[in-house]
Amino acid sequence: MALIGSFMTMLMALIYPCACYLKLYSGKLSKVQITICILIIIVGVVGACAGTYSAMSKIINGEN
């Protein structure tokens, strides 16, 4: 459950909203807004990778 939860939480809370915002307002955003959205997406990807790695290591090691 932690494996799916860590990935999906970051995907739905950080990555998708920023990606959709960038897509919807692609021609109307300033460079600062684009940069902030890209940074938020990067934080989401890093968080999802860290959570997935943590969950996988607990599964492999047999911890609860």
Side-chain angles (χ1 to χ4, degrees):
M1 191 62 105
L3 178 63
I4 295 170
S6 66
F7 178 72
M8 293 302 285
T9 299
M10 289 297 163
L11 191 65
M12 298 307 285
L14 295 175
I15 299 169
Y16 274 167
C18 287
C20 290
Y21 182 74
L22 287 173
K23 181 69 175 173
L24 288 173
Y25 299 105
S26 61
K28 303 171 187 170
L29 298 175
S30 68
K31 291 185 180 191
V32 173
Q33 290 172 320
I34 294 170
T35 303
I36 290 172
C37 281
I38 290 172
L39 287 174
I40 292 172
I41 290 171
I42 290 170
V43 167
V45 169
V46 169
C49 290
T52 303
Y53 174 77
S54 174
M56 287 296 290
S57 67
K58 287 183 180 182
I59 290 171
I60 291 170
N61 293 332
E63 297 174 15
N64 287 333

